[in-house]
Amino acid sequence: MCGAPRGVQMQGDDASRRSAAPQRRLRPFRSLDALLVAAVLLPALLFGALATFDRSQALATAERDLLATLDTLYGHAEKVIEFQVLALGATDERLRGLSNEAVAANVADHHAYLRALSLYVARIGIVVLGPDGQVLVDSVNEQPPARVSASDREYFRWHQEHPGPEFYVAGLLHSRNHGGLVFFVTRRRSAADGGFLGVTAVGVRQTSFLEYWRSAAVVPGTLVTLSRSDGVLMARWPAIEPGDAVRLPEGGALAQAFDASLERVVVSGTSPLDGIDRLVAYRHLGHFPVSIAVGIPKEAALAGWYRRVTIYGGFAVMTSLALCWLCLLARRRTQELRQLNAHLEERVRERTAAIQASESQVRLLAREVDHRAKNALAVVQATLQLTPKKDLETYVEAVAGRVSALARAQALLSQNQWRGASLQALLKAELTPFVSEAGGEFNTRAELDGLAVLLPPAAAQPLAMAMHELATNALKHGALSVPGGQATVSWRLSDTAEAPGDLLILRWEESKGPLVKPPTRRGFGFRMLEAIVRGQLGGRLSLSWLTSGFVCEIEMSLTRPGRASEEGALKKAG
């Protein structure tokens, strides 16, 4: 009496269901729209992250190579400077206690000694100067040149003003003897009373450094400098003339590294001389006031990265386009399913009105229709989500191949009235299409070896799927991908604690195929193989990449196969 009429309640329920129906219909489209946006943004974000990481790795590699090159050039320069110091010491030791007149009186012997000494210590030039800067004896000329004087040289004036045995390193200059570019390490010659007798100088041509640097610094645009601690250049590659830049330019990355004492630390900056952005590092040569620096163009350091980024970008664009196409295809299929669902609902309403079914029958029929529609959507979504979507052709081929494997197993079970399937017949049915596609006869490309085994129905279809994945891999990457390659499947039965002959041990072995390389990661096919063997068959899986070929071993129980559903196994593989 107090409640509303029953018909009114039913009308209200129908109205609420009709208002909720559009919301349910919009949800798949909102999800697909979100996927469409993700299909564009996700590859772009992944591309940006990968490019950033790869750039940092490229720079880190370039810095390691730069420091390795620096250490190599450092060792060479240190030995050359040490040779100069040794030559100075040996020359001073020979002339110790001799006056300039005594040296001039025996020029031939001294010249022969200095010449042999210069050849012994890496062909450096040795010259002995008098107090007026004139050459007394040198390692090049048997008779000292009469018109060559070093009295105006920086190092000569320095030794005139600084009594003592200290070494002095001179910058890059033109030799007045042969005209080439040289730098000198010099030492004062003093009399017993401390008087100035002259200077002993040992020099190295810039070309001797350039030849070695050219062979060691292989990156185009590399800059190498040998300089004093105050920035005066002793040698430079690419070569320069004195007067072009006798000092390191102020404000450059190398000068800033010197000021901050950043030895063996890679810094970046633009050179004021040529405007090239370089990575630069330097080292001091032991206890000498000399430093060697190496710089490589950042453009050259990132050359490989630029090439890889181009490839990454192209792949990201293709991936984004493929994902967008798949999302649009799924949206269209969902629209078709929605229309079909609407048509089915209309037919249900017409049928309900025609037979005037009871309220419980109407609700049961509505649930039936809803369940069928959801199942149809689930099948489409599972197919789209679980199979790798590299491209349409691969996608269709992968789905068709796996469905065909199931169909062949289904046919064998049906022929035997679902009592089971012959293992040998199942293997031959699964391998024959792949042997034909590989171009060969079954007996020459595939071999089956084992006793007659009847597989239970629960194990036949999963094992057919496993053989399909192995044969697919062999055709794409393994023995069936090359002429003459062979796949051998052998099996045997073993006893278990529960029953004799219960354990099936099946071995897949490839031979005469291409060189086997273990994969760096497991692809979808191998993950699906693991899910089938361990999930559906409840067995064990062993994979080996031997030098002779790929080997797979499967162990499974014939009386107690795994009970995991195909859907669960596929989800694990996905």
Side-chain angles (χ1 to χ4, degrees), residues 205-257:
R205 296 189 181 187
Q206 182 182 225
T207 54
S208 63
F209 275 92
L210 299 185
E211 292 172 357
Y212 183 80
W213 289 351
R214 187 179 295 108
S215 63
V218 296
V219 178
T222 299
L223 174 67
V224 185
T225 60
L226 186 69
S227 62
R228 290 194 323 215
S229 298
D230 58 359
V232 174
L233 286 176
M234 300 165 59
R236 181 182 184 272
W237 185 57
I240 61 169
E241 293 290 332
D244 292 344
V246 295
R247 287 181 176 271
L248 293 175
E250 297 181 359
L254 185 56
Q256 295 176 8

Side-chain angles (χ1 to χ4, degrees), residues 180-494:
L181 293 174
V182 296
F183 70 87
F184 290 96
V185 177
T186 61
R187 192 174 185 180
R188 175 188 172 107
R189 294 181 58 243
S190 300
D193 59 358
F196 180 64
L197 292 180
V199 174
T200 304
V202 180
V204 178
R205 296 189 181 187
Q206 182 182 225
T207 54
S208 63
F209 275 92
L210 299 185
E211 292 172 357
Y212 183 80
W213 289 351
R214 187 179 295 108
S215 63
V218 296
V219 178
T222 299
L223 174 67
V224 185
T225 60
L226 186 69
S227 62
R228 290 194 323 215
S229 298
D230 58 359
V232 174
L233 286 176
M234 300 165 59
R236 181 182 184 272
W237 185 57
I240 61 169
E241 293 290 332
D244 292 344
V246 295
R247 287 181 176 271
L248 293 175
E250 297 181 359
L254 185 56
Q256 295 176 8
F258 281 163
D259 295 340
S261 300
L262 300 176
E263 187 172 357
R264 286 198 94 253
V265 176
V266 179
V267 297
S268 176
T270 302
S271 171
L273 292 178
D274 53 20
I276 297 177
D277 189 12
R278 288 187 173 90
L279 301 175
V280 183
Y282 81 95
R283 284 188 69 178
H284 287 296
L285 266 66
H287 57 277
F288 303 112
V290 178
S291 297
I292 186 168
V294 182
I296 60 172
K298 186 178 289 186
E299 193 77 13
L302 295 175
W305 176 76
Y306 289 133
R307 291 191 297 270
R308 292 191 296 273
V309 164
T310 302
I311 297 174
Y312 298 157
F315 181 75
V317 170
M318 290 188 294
T319 302
S320 181
L321 292 176
L323 290 175
C324 289
W325 182 84
L326 288 173
C327 289
L328 291 174
L329 180 62
R331 199 175 193 278
R332 190 177 67 180
R333 292 289 184 264
T334 304
Q335 174 69 18
E336 294 174 355
L337 288 173
R338 188 174 74 88
Q339 294 174 356
L340 177 60
N341 188 36
H343 178 67
L344 291 175
E345 289 179 352
E346 181 64 26
R347 291 192 61 184
V348 168
R349 284 195 294 270
E350 293 176 357
R351 181 65 175 171
T352 303
I355 64 175
Q356 297 181 352
S358 63
E359 181 180 355
S360 59
Q361 291 174 331
V362 172
R363 291 178 180 175
L364 180 60
L365 184 56
R367 286 197 297 270
E368 179 75 13
V369 172
D370 185 61
H371 178 68
R372 290 183 181 180
K374 288 181 178 178
N375 280 346
L377 286 172
V379 170
V380 173
Q381 290 176 350
T383 303
L384 291 174
Q385 292 173 2
L386 295 182
T387 302
K389 307 172 183 62
K390 297 179 180 179
D391 54 64
L392 181 59
E393 183 178 354
T394 304
Y395 176 75
V396 173
E397 181 182 355
V399 173
R402 288 166 183 145
V403 171
S404 297
L406 290 173
R408 287 189 290 269
Q410 183 85 356
L412 288 175
L413 289 172
S414 177
Q415 291 173 4
N416 204 24
Q417 299 180 359
W418 288 90
R419 290 192 297 269
S422 168
L423 175 58
Q424 185 170 14
L426 183 143
L427 293 174
K428 187 169 184 179
E430 293 299 333
L431 292 180
T432 297
F434 293 91
V435 171
S436 299
E437 187 174 349
E441 297 295 329
F442 186 90
N443 294 332
T444 60
R445 302 302 301 274
E447 181 180 357
L448 303 180
D449 183 20
L451 300 175
V453 174
L454 184 66
L455 294 173
Q461 290 183 337
L463 190 58
M465 289 285 289
M467 290 299 104
H468 174 80
E469 296 301 327
L470 289 172
T472 299
N473 181 70
L475 183 61
K476 291 183 178 179
H477 312 291
L480 297 183
S481 66
V482 297
Q486 188 175 29
T488 301
V489 185
S490 59
W491 63 91
R492 60 186 176 88
L493 296 177
S494 180

Side-chain angles (χ1 to χ4, degrees), residues 18-191:
R18 284 195 297 269
S19 63
Q23 296 180 0
R24 291 197 300 269
R25 293 168 185 168
L26 286 175
R27 287 175 186 170
F29 289 99
R30 291 175 180 173
S31 300
L32 289 174
D33 290 341
L35 286 175
L36 189 60
V37 174
V40 177
L41 293 181
L42 185 59
L45 293 175
L46 291 176
F47 167 72
L50 181 61
T52 302
F53 175 77
D54 194 12
R55 186 178 188 276
S56 65
Q57 293 299 305
L59 289 176
T61 301
E63 290 179 2
R64 289 193 297 269
D65 294 343
L66 174 63
L67 292 177
T69 302
L70 174 64
D71 293 339
T72 300
L73 302 186
Y74 167 87
H76 170 261
E78 186 179 41
K79 286 183 176 59
V80 172
I81 300 296
E82 287 178 350
F83 286 156
Q84 289 180 294
V85 172
L86 289 174
L88 279 177
T91 303
D92 287 348
E93 184 65 27
R94 179 178 178 83
L95 301 181
R96 187 183 304 277
L98 297 179
S99 65
N100 289 333
E101 291 76 11
V103 172
N106 197 12
V107 170
D109 290 344
H110 293 314
H111 165 74
Y113 176 79
L114 295 182
R115 180 176 178 80
L117 183 62
S118 66
L119 295 176
Y120 181 74
V121 288
R123 296 181 180 272
I124 58 180
I126 307 173
V127 61
V128 180
L129 304 173
D132 56 355
Q134 296 292 323
V135 178
L136 296 178
V137 61
D138 64 32
S139 61
V140 178
N141 303 294
E142 294 183 5
Q143 293 298 324
R147 298 183 179 181
V148 175
S149 175
S151 60
D152 59 337
R153 295 294 199 190
E154 175 191 12
Y155 64 82
F156 192 87
R157 294 195 301 268
W158 189 90
H159 284 299
Q160 284 179 322
E161 300 170 358
H162 294 81
E166 293 86 0
F167 294 106
Y168 183 82
V169 180
L172 190 64
L173 47 82
H174 279 288
S175 172
R176 290 173 178 169
N177 187 9
H178 56 75
L181 293 174
V182 296
F183 70 87
F184 290 96
V185 177
T186 61
R187 192 174 185 180
R188 175 188 172 107
R189 294 181 58 243
S190 300

